[in-house]
């Protein structure tokens, strides 16, 4: 009868080892018994960038990268995008189940109660230069929240964790909107708790002299975009939140690490980079030359490719639909034509086909954000707003996981052997 084990022969010693296979996985620490002699540290695995290493067990988000499937807590992303609100999704990610009407009402009220930030936060914002990148402002101010809520360090108290999670979900739209207003030299707009979560955020960003009159289609589109970004299992920023959180620091500090990771152009910053790329291409007729440059290794087609998806990113499919609805309201963004042509060419080109490079979530999202009136450098902030529930759910899951310890990878040392110090005159 087949056994769920792996037999390994160490050809250095001729010894055999049998290690258990669970969930199609072997434990890296089971390899440590494989030694050449007693002094040997034991066999390690080498996996830069975690290409094939599961760093946790998680029940939050399921992705099948070959089939293009994404589910939060079992619910297909398509159904959530079509039928849920962002706060329902936030609740689902945190609690594991969709809220009942009463639970949702209570959750919504609690969030509303916490939307205001201490007025000293506005002073931080004043300190930033007029051209400060909004992601820099966001990560700085979210990190600074830990100084306003020193109680947040009591991470082993479930009630305390719940309070900090609500604070983050409630206050981050306020801080994000403040950063937007600061960049534009506009007076800050404070939360209006008669509005819903998305409506309040849109009002805080766009209101000029009175409550902003929302375009319902654009507001709904923003809600869908935030839902699509709400979690994506062990991506770079979530891994950052988990790794930093594993030191048992407060959640504001751990989440600001996630925001920092998201800022990078290979991660959330790609939505901004896509628009820069489309601007640089400028015209459809320049696309073939641009594609040739990418294929020659000079630059990347931003918004394409994914570590996990080796087929069309399901989020990108949904975003394309949202784009149609948005552009019907706002008129066509001329860059959409360039984007569509880039996609058409790339999907037929052997270079991209062979490497299974398809549009990812960031390819079309920036065009929509731009049509809504958000400047390019603000796009990743919108991604961060969307990702907040995922980071929080993953942070808590990590803390409650008995298998987890402080994140601390090993290394293969490649430096000098011991050598004696040489005084500066003798070097
Ligand atoms: N344009 C051109 N070539 C690419 C691209 C791209 N966008 N992405 C990957 N490749 C090539 C890469 O050069 C490599 O080719 P070769 O095998 O000849 O060396 C091959 O495809 C595999 O790429 P990789 O860098 O080993 O793949 P990865 O899993 O480490 O990287 C990625 C994933 C998303 C960082 C990468 O595809 C990329 O840089 N894409 C552009 C940036 C982007 O759109 N990021 C957003 C990701 S989705 C949302 C998010 O996570 O925030």
């Amino acid at each position: 009868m087949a056994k769920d084990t792996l037999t390994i022969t160490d050809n250095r010693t001729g010894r055999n080892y049998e290690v258990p296979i669970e969930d199609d996985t072997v434990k890296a620490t089971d390899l440590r018994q494989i030694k050449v002699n007693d002094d040997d540290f034991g066999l390690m695995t080498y996996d830069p960038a975690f290409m094939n290493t599961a760093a946790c067990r998680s029940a939050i988000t399921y992705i099948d990268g070959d089939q293009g499937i994404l589910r939060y807590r079992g619910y297909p992303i398509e159904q959530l995008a079509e039928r849920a609100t962002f706060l329902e999704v936030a609740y689902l990610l945190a609690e594991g189940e969709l809220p009942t009407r009463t639970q949702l009402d209570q959750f919504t009220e609690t969030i509303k109660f916490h939307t205001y930030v201490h007025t000293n936060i506005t002073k931080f914002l004043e300190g930033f230069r007029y051209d400060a990148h909004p992601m820099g402002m966001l990560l700085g101010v979210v990190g600074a929240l830990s100084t306003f809520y020193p109680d947040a360090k009591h991470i082993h108290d479930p009630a305390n964790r719940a309070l900090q999670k609500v604070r983050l979900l409630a206050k981050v739209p306020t801080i994000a909107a403040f950063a937007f207003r600061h960049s534009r030299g506009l007076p800050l707009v404070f939360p209006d708790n008669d509005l819903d979560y998305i409506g309040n955020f849109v009002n805080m960003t766009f209101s000029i002299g009175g409550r902003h009159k929302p375009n319902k289609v654009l507001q709904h589109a923003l809600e869908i975009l935030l839902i699509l970004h709400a979690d994506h299992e062990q991506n770079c920023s979530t891994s950052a939140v988990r790794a930093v959180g594993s030191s048992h620091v407060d959640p504001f500090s751990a989440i600001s690490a996630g925001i920092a990771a998201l800022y990078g152009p290979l991660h959330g910053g790609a939505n901004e980079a896509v628009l820069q790329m489309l601007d640089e291409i400028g015209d459809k007729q320049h696309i073939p030359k641009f594609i040739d440059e990418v294929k020659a290794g000079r630059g990347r087609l931003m918004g394409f490719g994914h570590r996990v998806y080796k087929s069309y990113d399901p989020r990108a499919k949904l975003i394309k639909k949202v784009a149609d609805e948005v552009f019907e309201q706002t008129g066509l963004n001329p860059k959409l034509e360039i984007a569509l042509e880039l996609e058409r060419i790339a999907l037929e080109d052997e270079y991209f086909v062979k490497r299974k490079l398809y549009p990812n979530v960031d390819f079309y999202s920036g065009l929509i954000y731009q049509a809504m009136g958000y400047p390019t450098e603000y796009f990743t902030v919108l991604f961060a707003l969307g990702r907040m529930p995922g980071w929080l759910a993953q942070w808590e899951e990590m803390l409650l996981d008995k298998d987890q310890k402080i994140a601390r990878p090993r290394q293969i040392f490649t430096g000098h052997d011991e050598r004696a110090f040489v005084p500066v005159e003798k070097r």
Side-chain angles (χ1 to χ4, degrees):
M1 188 175 134
K3 276 166 74 185
D4 281 337
T5 61
L6 175 72
T7 301
I8 302 164
T9 305
D10 185 347
N11 292 322
R12 298 170 303 174
T13 58
R15 279 191 217 123
N16 285 325
Y17 301 84
E18 193 173 343
V19 296
I21 298 177
E22 204 183 327
D23 299 321
D24 293 329
T25 308
V26 291
K27 281 199 178 127
T29 45
D30 282 345
L31 303 181
R32 287 279 291 281
Q33 59 181 307
I34 304 177
K35 298 180 177 195
V36 175
N37 55 47
D38 287 347
D39 299 339
D40 189 352
F41 179 78
L43 208 62
M44 290 195 302
T45 52
Y46 177 58
D47 190 11
F50 301 110
M51 298 289 287
N52 194 38
T53 294
C56 63
R57 291 176 181 277
S58 182
I60 301 172
T61 289
Y62 173 79
I63 301 177
D64 181 329
D66 293 322
Q67 309 275 340
I69 293 173
L70 170 61
R71 296 183 200 131
Y72 300 159
R73 302 281 191 188
Y75 294 101
I77 190 65
E78 293 78 7
Q79 291 179 25
L80 292 170
E82 196 185 340
R83 301 175 60 186
T85 62
F86 180 66
L87 283 189
E88 267 180 299
V89 169
Y91 186 100
L92 170 70
L93 288 167
E95 305 298 331
E97 296 298 335
L98 285 166
T100 62
R101 167 56 58 202
T102 315
Q103 286 167 333
L104 183 60
D105 289 347
Q106 264 170 9
F107 183 56
T108 307
E109 277 314 300
T110 317
I111 298 272
K112 283 186 176 174
F113 188 78
H114 287 278
T115 48
Y116 269 67
V117 292
H118 193 288
T119 42
N120 284 7
I121 295 278
T122 61
K123 298 200 181 116
F124 288 148
L125 282 152
E126 277 167 26
F128 286 114
R129 298 198 54 175
Y130 72 94
D131 59 353
H133 196 288
M135 278 301 273
M137 293 195 255
L138 187 70
L139 84 89
V141 175
V142 169
L145 282 183
S146 71
T147 66
F148 289 83
Y149 303 110
D151 59 314
K153 64 161 90 67
H154 301 301
I155 55 160
H156 298 299
D157 170 4
N160 192 287
R161 281 202 305 273
L163 174 60
Q164 311 315 333
K165 288 194 298 178
V166 163
R167 280 179 171 153
L168 271 156
L169 273 177
K171 292 181 199 310
V172 163
T174 310
I175 296 167
F178 283 2
F180 178 87
R181 307 286 293 194
H182 176 80
S183 302
R184 309 204 135 188
L186 289 168
L188 305 182
V189 175
F190 288 89
D192 179 342
N193 291 332
D194 289 337
L195 298 171
D196 66 19
Y197 190 83
I198 307 288
N200 175 44
F201 172 69
V202 171
N203 186 57
M204 286 190 292
T205 46
F206 290 128
S207 149
I208 303 270
R211 199 186 260 181
H212 171 72
K213 284 202 187 62
N215 176 321
K216 290 281 173 209
V217 174
L218 298 194
Q219 207 158 292
H220 183 56
L222 183 59
E223 181 136 31
I224 295 177
L225 285 172
L226 296 195
I227 291 172
L228 297 181
H229 286 86
D231 194 46
H232 213 232
E233 50 119 308
Q234 307 313 314
N235 56 86
C236 177
S237 56
T238 301
S239 306
V241 170
R242 279 179 171 262
V244 172
S246 78
S247 74
H248 289 178
V249 73
D250 68 88
F252 299 104
S253 304
I255 295 292
S256 66
I259 298 172
L262 191 74
Y263 192 177
L266 296 189
H267 193 7
N271 54 17
E272 179 179 346
V274 168
L275 261 282
Q276 282 156 0
M277 174 186 78
L278 295 176
D279 279 338
E280 271 163 38
I281 294 173
D283 191 286
K284 259 165 64 171
Q285 67 183 26
H286 302 140
I287 293 178
K289 185 165 170 280
F290 174 78
I291 295 273
D292 285 346
E293 291 282 309
V294 169
K295 284 160 61 178
R298 290 187 286 275
R300 288 201 160 191
L301 176 50
M302 299 310 283
F304 258 68
H306 199 274
R307 172 64 58 78
V308 180
Y309 292 121
K310 298 303 166 199
S311 67
Y312 215 101
D313 182 336
R315 301 168 300 173
K317 257 188 217 161
L318 293 163
I319 283 180
K320 252 178 119 172
K321 259 206 257 165
V322 174
D324 289 339
E325 286 160 25
V326 167
F327 294 138
E328 216 169 89
Q329 298 284 312
T330 62
L332 215 57
N333 185 334
K335 289 180 204 120
L336 178 68
E337 244 192 287
I338 303 180
L340 286 168
E341 183 63 4
L342 265 177
E343 177 184 338
R344 191 191 64 75
I345 294 181
L347 292 183
E348 287 173 359
D349 189 296
E350 206 218 327
Y351 174 96
F352 297 92
V353 173
K354 208 172 96 196
R355 290 170 178 76
K356 300 192 175 160
L357 300 171
Y358 292 87
N360 59 47
V361 69
D362 292 320
F363 194 65
Y364 289 107
S365 62
L367 289 168
I368 303 177
Y369 295 143
Q370 192 170 58
M372 287 173 176
Y374 291 106
T376 316
E377 64 277 9
Y378 199 68
F379 298 169
T380 315
V381 171
L382 297 166
F383 191 153
L385 283 189
R387 185 54 53 87
M388 192 56 62
W391 286 333
L392 292 170
Q394 301 267 354
W395 168 73
E396 179 147 288
E397 187 179 60
M398 177 275 304
L399 284 177
L400 298 180
D401 182 346
K402 299 257 181 301
D403 282 352
Q404 292 295 335
K405 287 169 177 282
I406 186 165
R408 205 317 184 170
R410 295 276 174 184
Q411 65 168 8
I412 300 169
F413 180 67
T414 59
H416 283 285
D417 210 346
E418 184 180 336
R419 48 185 179 158
F421 179 78
V422 182
V424 71
E425 308 74 43
K426 295 209 172 150
R427 283 175 219 157

